[in-house]
Amino acid sequence: TKSKSSRGIGDILLGLGLLFLGISDMKDGFDAIKENINLSQYAIGGFLGLIVYIFIGIVATVVMQSSAATMAIVIAAIASHQITYENAIALAIGANIGTTITAILGALTSNENGKRLALAHVIFNAQTGLIAIIFFYPIIYLVDYIAELIQIAQNDYALKLALFHTIFNVIGVIVMLPFVTVLINFLNRKFTKTKTQADQPIYINKAIVKIPNAALSAFLKETERLLENAYMILAHGINIHRVDIYSNKPIEKTIEASNNKLPIDINEAYQENIKSLYGEIISFGTLAQDFMNESDKKYLFRITMANRRIVQAVKDIGMIRENIDTYTYHQNSFIKAEYNFLRTILFSVYREVYLLKKEENRDISRLQMLKVSLSEFDAAASQRVIKLIKEELITNKMATSLMNDTNYVYDICENLITAAEFLWFREHAEKELTIDKSDANGIAQSKG
């Protein structure tokens, strides 16, 4: 079938079929060897048998890293009468306790929420196992009673084992339910959220690298966080505050009112807020792509390219920072006006990309319109410089700086717009964001 959903359902059914086939094969295997090797002769009764087989169940689950696999073997063994009913129940208890090791191992490289969940899993299974040990025989009597009510044969130990396993977990839920709030408060106190440095990842970690959907989501969120870090540098680089971008203040008035040079070393800020985080993101993406399908790999690559665009924008702002400081507050009102114009262009793109990030139903036409405005700015910029030179309103040195910085401003804006497309418009992953003025007018009319 060409349907992705149908293939997924087929894979699930195939997996279930193979699971049941495996249990059947194991049962046949136990039947084949029981004439020569009778494992039931190693049965241990009483409390000693309970403890020994619980321990065996724990060890088997730790080795196989799957309580389901242990239970499958136990069911197959009891169905062929290779182990006793009481020993099989003890193995089931051990399997439930042993499965907590998997959660503990997964939590070692997880964040505080992963550690909380793992400890909750340990507490739930441990207390349920303890209850099952203390009330072992009453629970067996309860299983026999319910089995008789629902007409399970007295010697159908495989079904009775399954019934015990169900009752075992239900008891755990009933006991823990009144203490959920207490447990949550305890876990929150036990694992407090550590303050993460700006250059350290908080979403990506090795625990999710093999889970495509989780890895892709974390990769996107970490890249958005990189963009957030970049915004601080991009804003201060043109002597405005990041909060001004996030506000609804008029752009031109904000630019005119920004009369103070903000103290920032672009290179130092890049080293502290961008470089390390960028490296972690790229490294994680390199590992995660090995576990993704082609569609996810393509989107991962686009997000990777968005990271590079964001980093390049930060580097480019460093190239114009000195001239921004020099000419924004220059006595020559003409060069001052031109640099305030460049700042206005940058501010406009900053805010549009930020607003797009906040939206739930994002419209790519906003990027298309922004791209058109940027093209118009690029076309008109050289004419503005030529006019200033002809009228001898600025010096040749000023003109050279202005032309170079105009190119950098265009590159910064283009990188941010393209990064936004790569991040938030997966359905356009195979398309380039190109549109001419007539197309933009059509979009504007349709939106109006």
Side-chain angles (χ1 to χ4, degrees), residues 166-196:
T166 302
I167 293 172
F168 174 88
N169 284 288
V170 170
I171 289 173
V173 172
I174 292 172
V175 171
M176 289 298 297
L177 204 55
F179 303 101
V180 168
T181 303
V182 175
L183 179 62
I184 290 172
N185 292 334
F186 166 73
L187 294 172
N188 286 336
R189 290 194 304 271
K190 183 70 175 176
F191 301 105
T192 56
K193 186 172 184 179
T194 56
K195 186 176 180 182
T196 305

Coordinates of all heavy atoms in Angstrom, one line a residue, residues 166-196:
T166 N -2.6 -8.7 35.8 CA -3.6 -7.6 35.7 C -3.9 -7.1 37.1 O -3.9 -5.9 37.4 CB -4.9 -8.1 35.0 OG1 -4.5 -8.5 33.7 CG2 -5.9 -6.9 34.9
I167 N -4.3 -8.0 38.1 CA -4.6 -7.6 39.4 C -3.4 -6.9 40.1 O -3.6 -6.0 40.8 CB -5.1 -8.9 40.2 CG1 -6.4 -9.4 39.7 CG2 -5.2 -8.6 41.7 CD1 -6.8 -10.8 40.3
F168 N -2.3 -7.5 39.9 CA -1.0 -6.9 40.4 C -0.9 -5.4 40.1 O -0.7 -4.6 41.0 CB 0.2 -7.7 39.8 CG 1.5 -7.1 40.2 CD1 2.2 -7.5 41.4 CD2 2.2 -6.2 39.4 CE1 3.4 -7.0 41.7 CE2 3.4 -5.7 39.7 CZ 4.0 -6.1 40.8
N169 N -1.1 -5.0 38.8 CA -1.0 -3.6 38.4 C -2.2 -2.8 38.9 O -2.0 -1.6 39.2 CB -0.9 -3.6 36.9 CG 0.5 -4.0 36.4 OD1 1.5 -3.2 36.6 ND2 0.6 -5.1 35.8
V170 N -3.4 -3.4 38.9 CA -4.6 -2.6 39.4 C -4.4 -2.3 40.9 O -4.7 -1.2 41.3 CB -5.8 -3.5 39.2 CG1 -7.0 -2.8 39.9 CG2 -6.2 -3.6 37.7
I171 N -3.8 -3.2 41.7 CA -3.6 -2.9 43.1 C -2.6 -1.8 43.2 O -2.8 -0.9 44.0 CB -3.0 -4.2 43.8 CG1 -4.1 -5.3 43.9 CG2 -2.4 -3.8 45.1 CD1 -3.6 -6.6 44.5
G172 N -1.6 -1.8 42.4 CA -0.6 -0.7 42.4 C -1.2 0.6 42.1 O -0.9 1.6 42.8
V173 N -2.1 0.7 41.1 CA -2.8 2.0 40.8 C -3.7 2.4 41.9 O -3.7 3.6 42.3 CB -3.6 1.8 39.5 CG1 -4.5 3.0 39.3 CG2 -2.7 1.5 38.3
I174 N -4.5 1.5 42.5 CA -5.4 1.8 43.6 C -4.6 2.4 44.8 O -5.0 3.3 45.5 CB -6.2 0.6 44.0 CG1 -7.2 0.2 42.9 CG2 -7.0 0.9 45.3 CD1 -7.9 -1.1 43.1
V175 N -3.5 1.7 45.1 CA -2.7 2.2 46.3 C -2.1 3.5 46.1 O -2.0 4.4 47.0 CB -1.6 1.1 46.6 CG1 -0.7 1.6 47.7 CG2 -2.3 -0.2 47.1
M176 N -1.5 3.8 44.8 CA -0.8 5.0 44.6 C -1.7 6.2 44.3 O -1.3 7.3 44.5 CB 0.1 4.8 43.4 CG 1.3 3.9 43.7 SD 2.4 4.5 44.9 CE 3.0 6.0 44.2
L177 N -2.9 5.9 43.8 CA -3.8 7.0 43.3 C -4.0 8.1 44.4 O -3.9 9.3 44.1 CB -5.1 6.5 42.9 CG -5.9 7.3 41.9 CD1 -5.1 7.6 40.6 CD2 -7.2 6.6 41.5
P178 N -4.2 7.8 45.7 CA -4.4 8.9 46.7 C -3.2 9.7 46.9 O -3.3 10.8 47.5 CB -4.9 8.1 47.9 CG -5.3 6.8 47.4 CD -4.4 6.5 46.2
F179 N -2.0 9.1 46.5 CA -0.8 9.8 46.9 C -0.1 10.5 45.7 O 1.1 10.8 45.7 CB 0.2 8.8 47.5 CG -0.3 8.1 48.7 CD1 -0.8 6.8 48.6 CD2 -0.4 8.7 49.9 CE1 -1.3 6.2 49.7 CE2 -0.9 8.1 51.1 CZ -1.4 6.8 51.0
V180 N -0.9 10.6 44.6 CA -0.3 11.2 43.4 C 0.3 12.6 43.6 O 1.4 12.9 43.2 CB -1.3 11.2 42.2 CG1 -0.8 12.1 41.1 CG2 -1.6 9.8 41.8
T181 N -0.5 13.5 44.3 CA -0.1 14.8 44.6 C 1.2 14.8 45.4 O 2.1 15.6 45.2 CB -1.2 15.6 45.2 OG1 -2.3 15.6 44.4 CG2 -0.8 17.1 45.4
V182 N 1.2 14.0 46.5 CA 2.3 13.9 47.4 C 3.6 13.4 46.6 O 4.7 14.0 46.8 CB 2.0 12.9 48.5 CG1 3.3 12.7 49.4 CG2 0.9 13.4 49.4
L183 N 3.4 12.5 45.7 CA 4.5 11.9 44.9 C 5.0 13.0 44.0 O 6.3 13.2 43.8 CB 4.0 10.7 44.1 CG 5.1 10.1 43.2 CD1 6.2 9.5 44.0 CD2 4.4 9.0 42.3
I184 N 4.1 13.8 43.3 CA 4.6 14.8 42.4 C 5.4 15.9 43.2 O 6.5 16.3 42.7 CB 3.4 15.5 41.7 CG1 2.7 14.5 40.7 CG2 3.8 16.8 41.0 CD1 1.4 15.0 40.2
N185 N 4.9 16.3 44.3 CA 5.6 17.3 45.1 C 7.0 16.8 45.6 O 8.0 17.5 45.5 CB 4.8 17.7 46.4 CG 3.6 18.5 46.0 OD1 3.5 19.1 44.9 ND2 2.5 18.4 46.8
F186 N 7.1 15.5 45.9 CA 8.3 14.9 46.3 C 9.3 14.9 45.2 O 10.5 15.2 45.3 CB 8.1 13.5 46.8 CG 9.3 12.6 46.9 CD1 10.3 12.9 47.9 CD2 9.6 11.6 46.0 CE1 11.4 12.1 48.0 CE2 10.8 10.9 46.1 CZ 11.7 11.1 47.1
L187 N 8.8 14.5 44.0 CA 9.7 14.4 42.8 C 10.2 15.7 42.4 O 11.3 15.9 41.9 CB 8.9 13.7 41.6 CG 8.6 12.2 41.9 CD1 7.7 11.7 40.8 CD2 9.9 11.4 42.0
N188 N 9.3 16.8 42.5 CA 9.7 18.1 42.1 C 10.8 18.7 43.0 O 11.7 19.4 42.6 CB 8.5 19.1 42.1 CG 7.6 18.8 40.9 OD1 8.0 18.4 39.9 ND2 6.3 19.2 41.1
R189 N 10.7 18.3 44.3 CA 11.7 18.7 45.3 C 13.0 17.9 45.1 O 14.1 18.5 45.2 CB 11.2 18.5 46.7 CG 10.1 19.5 47.2 CD 10.0 19.4 48.7 NE 9.7 18.1 49.1 CZ 8.5 17.5 49.3 NH1 7.4 18.2 48.9 NH2 8.3 16.3 49.7
K190 N 12.9 16.7 44.7 CA 14.0 15.8 44.5 C 14.9 16.2 43.4 O 16.1 16.2 43.4 CB 13.6 14.3 44.4 CG 14.7 13.3 44.3 CD 15.4 13.1 45.6 CE 16.5 12.0 45.4 NZ 17.3 11.9 46.7
F191 N 14.2 16.5 42.3 CA 14.9 16.9 41.0 C 14.5 18.3 40.6 O 13.5 18.5 39.9 CB 14.6 15.9 39.9 CG 15.0 14.5 40.2 CD1 14.1 13.6 40.5 CD2 16.4 14.1 40.2 CE1 14.4 12.2 40.8 CE2 16.7 12.8 40.5 CZ 15.8 11.9 40.8
T192 N 15.2 19.3 41.1 CA 14.9 20.7 40.8 C 15.6 21.0 39.5 O 16.6 20.5 39.1 CB 15.4 21.6 41.9 OG1 16.8 21.4 42.0 CG2 14.7 21.4 43.2
K193 N 14.9 21.9 38.8 CA 15.5 22.4 37.5 C 16.7 23.2 37.7 O 16.7 24.2 38.3 CB 14.4 23.1 36.7 CG 14.8 23.5 35.3 CD 13.7 24.1 34.5 CE 14.1 24.3 33.0 NZ 13.0 24.9 32.2
T194 N 17.8 22.7 37.1 CA 19.0 23.5 37.2 C 19.1 24.7 36.2 O 18.5 24.6 35.1 CB 20.3 22.6 36.9 OG1 20.1 22.0 35.7 CG2 20.4 21.5 38.0
K195 N 19.7 25.7 36.6 CA 19.8 26.9 35.8 C 20.7 26.6 34.6 O 21.9 26.2 34.9 CB 20.3 28.1 36.6 CG 20.3 29.4 35.7 CD 20.7 30.6 36.6 CE 20.7 31.8 35.7 NZ 21.1 33.0 36.5
T196 N 20.2 26.6 33.4 CA 21.0 26.3 32.3 C 21.7 27.5 31.7 O 21.0 28.5 31.5 CB 20.1 25.6 31.2 OG1 19.5 24.5 31.8 CG2 21.0 25.1 30.0

